[in-house]
Amino acid sequence: MSKIDIRVGGLGGQGVILCASIIGKAAAIHDNKHATLIQSFGPEARGSACSAQVMIDDHPIGYPYVKSLDVLVVMSRDAYKQFVTQLKPGGILLYEEELVTPGAMPPGVSAYAIPATRFAEQLGRRLVLNIVMVGFFAGVTGLLSEQAVEKAVLSSVPKGTEDLNLRAYRKGFEYGREQVESRRLESAANGQTQQSFAI
Amino acid sequence: MKADPSGVLVGTHFIDGDHAACEGALAAGCRFVAGYPITPSTEVVERFAARIPLVGGVFIQLEDEIASSIAIQGAVWGGKKVMTVTSGPGLSLMMEHIGLAAITECPCVFVDVQRGGPSTGLPTLPAQADMMQVKWGSHGDYEPIALSPNSPQECFDLMIKAFNLAEMYRVPVFFMMDEVVGHMTERVVIPPADQIEVVERRWTAKKPAEYRPYETNGNMVPDMVKAGDGYRIHITGLTHDERGYPSMTPATQDKLVRRLLNKIRLNADKLLDVREEHTEDADVTVISFGITSRVATAAVDDARAQGLKVGHARLVITWPFPAARIAALAERTKVFLVPELNMGQMVQEVERAVAGRAKVVSIPHAGGTVHEPETILAKIMEAAR
């Protein structure tokens, strides 16, 4: 696997950093890859712009910043606007569909939408929206083993909330898988070969 | 001696450099920390405050960095391994007490998670601009030790080394992180306690009536005692004789200051930690430390892929400066490139060591982010022409 550059963006309080951290942890601890996470956030505890970058590679990571993105995960309109131009042509955009309305994107970007906040509310707590997004990331990209991400979720959430978070993760994962599958069938029906990800 | 298992959080973790530094300190046996929180170092003490009740020890948040840097020295004479943690503005406040630690030979670790300066500067963004401050910041002549980690794993590993060196040489040891290394999260493997070597304080074997606190027994580093063990000692920032009593004569001053310097200078070969890659055939050698070494590695790898004879010497122990090793590299290398997140500090040491035998080029950066690998690569190409 060559280096994968990921950014997760949203608002403080949405669990942006934890979302990125679980992705990195799954890769670095449970999938035996190298992962580096760098976060940036404003001075406010809630509501300010917040983002984290995660690099995943088979080799040790040197330069610690991402410059262009293979995958962008956004949970706010501002994060979308700020980072969409960093997506590589052919990259993947994952977005919270009730919070982000995508516009122009670099060529060949595959965009996948999920009502993550609504799903989280249906599961019982809006707080787990970030874990739904983790599942969605894993389901759509297939970059990490399912088991690795599950383990990373379980070791990252507060005790007593494991079941809820696992359900949130699986909801996002299955929704992601379904979308990838339906696109595959759609393109097969149109006689096209399935678009392979830039990654 | 092996580490005390109670402080060792064995396992594979995904944590940032600040947290890893804290775990390194706990594994090394640090049981007293005094500090005043400051970005980007706060997470070190935040974690220590949460962990230390489970391990057994003390964390005190004090009114400022002046108090913190003296409280740790009190705890040393109470028998503890200690550290304080800060960033540039706090380090500036600690300067007088760093001198006290140097003259009283108080083993302690000062963690500096560097951010852009001067003054309040860039609280949340990186720099490596305190390198000369830790060498020269307190008045008078002394030789500190400084280490520069470049990853969370090294924040753990090298922190243990920092504590061990503090005990071996009885000097203030500076742990020179930066905002990127501090806030970067990566895999950190913490081995079992029986795989971690720690250096314990060397207590005197002498009886109270025979003990003289600054008598050296030939190895330049005196043995220690702690409060409560029945030894009468006097610890002072004044120039003192072997008994520890003030003796303000040129002869005592000369003997004391020479020993403070020589215990480091004459052990420079033991304090050498330069990690080299491809230096054996290098026409151009990049010299770097801390986070900049990771950017330099990317640039050097690119240049080697293009067939250029480029080497990389990474300073892990930055003070004492490895002048003899750099001088040896100058026998072969024609150009040294020194990227650093300051406007040209360690490059001066490189120039001194090279002494005109090769060209030395500074690649300065005012901080706020790291160099672009392309910037270093362009300088390598220019130097190789």
Side-chain angles (χ1 to χ4, degrees), chain B residues 14-26:
Chain B
F14 193 59
I15 52 177
D16 72 18
D18 280 356
H19 287 260
C22 173
E23 290 303 330
L26 286 165

Side-chain angles (χ1 to χ4, degrees), chain B residues 152-171:
Chain B
Q153 181 69 56
E154 281 198 351
C155 286
F156 177 82
D157 297 337
L158 292 178
M159 183 63 92
I160 295 165
K161 187 167 183 168
F163 272 90
N164 288 349
L165 292 173
E167 295 300 331
M168 289 161 74
Y169 294 98
R170 288 187 59 180
V171 291

Side-chain angles (χ1 to χ4, degrees), chain B residues 251-381:
Chain B
T252 310
Q253 169 75 357
D254 185 79
K255 189 176 177 190
L256 175 61
V257 173
R258 274 184 201 282
R259 187 172 60 74
L260 293 179
L261 300 181
N262 283 342
K263 67 179 176 178
I264 299 301
R265 290 182 183 175
L266 300 182
N267 284 309
D269 56 334
K270 298 193 192 88
L271 288 162
L272 180 72
D273 193 345
V274 179
R275 316 250 169 119
E276 297 180 24
E277 275 188 327
H278 312 301
T279 47
E280 61 290 341
D281 71 345
D283 296 327
V284 177
T285 298
V286 180
I287 296 179
S288 71
F289 55 93
I291 188 61
T292 307
S293 67
R294 293 175 62 145
V295 187
T297 298
V300 168
D301 288 351
D302 271 5
R304 298 255 351 157
Q306 295 179 38
L308 299 177
K309 287 188 173 171
V310 188
H312 185 197
R314 179 185 157 222
L315 315 181
V316 172
I317 293 183
T318 30
W319 299 115
F321 187 78
R325 183 61 203 148
I326 302 302
L329 290 174
E331 299 296 324
R332 151 102 216 171
T333 283
K334 299 183 184 76
V335 185
F336 288 96
L337 302 176
V338 189
E340 47 188 334
L341 289 184
N342 58 59
M343 297 310 282
Q345 296 191 11
M346 298 306 276
V347 69
Q348 296 174 47
E349 292 297 311
V350 177
E351 282 167 350
R352 266 154 46 101
V354 169
R357 279 166 293 181
K359 193 175 167 189
V360 178
V361 179
S362 172
I363 310 179
H365 190 305
T369 182
V370 299
H371 289 77
E372 295 292 327
E374 294 76 17
T375 307
I376 300 174
L377 181 63
K379 292 285 185 185
I380 293 172
M381 308 289 265

Side-chain angles (χ1 to χ4, degrees), chain A residues 20-29 32-39 41 54 61-65 67, chain B residues 12-14 16 43 124 126 179-180 183-187 291 294-295 297-298 368-374:
Chain A
S21 175
I22 290 171
I23 292 168
K25 191 180 200 178
I29 297 185
N32 207 26
K33 296 180 193 301
H34 293 272
T36 300
L37 176 147
I38 287 188
Q39 49 185 294
F41 42 82
V54 187
I61 291 159
Y63 181 76
Y65 292 113
K67 293 194 163 177
Chain B
T12 304
H13 310 272
F14 193 59
D16 72 18
E43 292 88 340
T124 63
E179 186 277 332
V180 182
H183 284 160
M184 162 195 281
T185 300
E186 291 185 334
R187 176 173 55 221
I291 188 61
R294 293 175 62 145
V295 187
T297 298
T369 182
V370 299
H371 289 77
E372 295 292 327
E374 294 76 17

Side-chain angles (χ1 to χ4, degrees), chain B residues 117-179:
Chain B
S119 190
T120 315
L122 301 171
T124 63
L125 296 170
Q128 298 177 307
D130 305 348
M131 299 307 295
M132 285 295 170
Q133 187 186 24
V134 298
K135 177 68 177 74
W136 300 109
S138 198
H139 55 279
D141 287 312
Y142 61 99
E143 290 277 4
I145 293 173
L147 296 95
S148 293
N150 77 358
S151 67
Q153 181 69 56
E154 281 198 351
C155 286
F156 177 82
D157 297 337
L158 292 178
M159 183 63 92
I160 295 165
K161 187 167 183 168
F163 272 90
N164 288 349
L165 292 173
E167 295 300 331
M168 289 161 74
Y169 294 98
R170 288 187 59 180
V171 291
V173 174
F174 294 94
F175 201 65
M176 303 303 286
M177 297 165 61
D178 63 79
E179 186 277 332

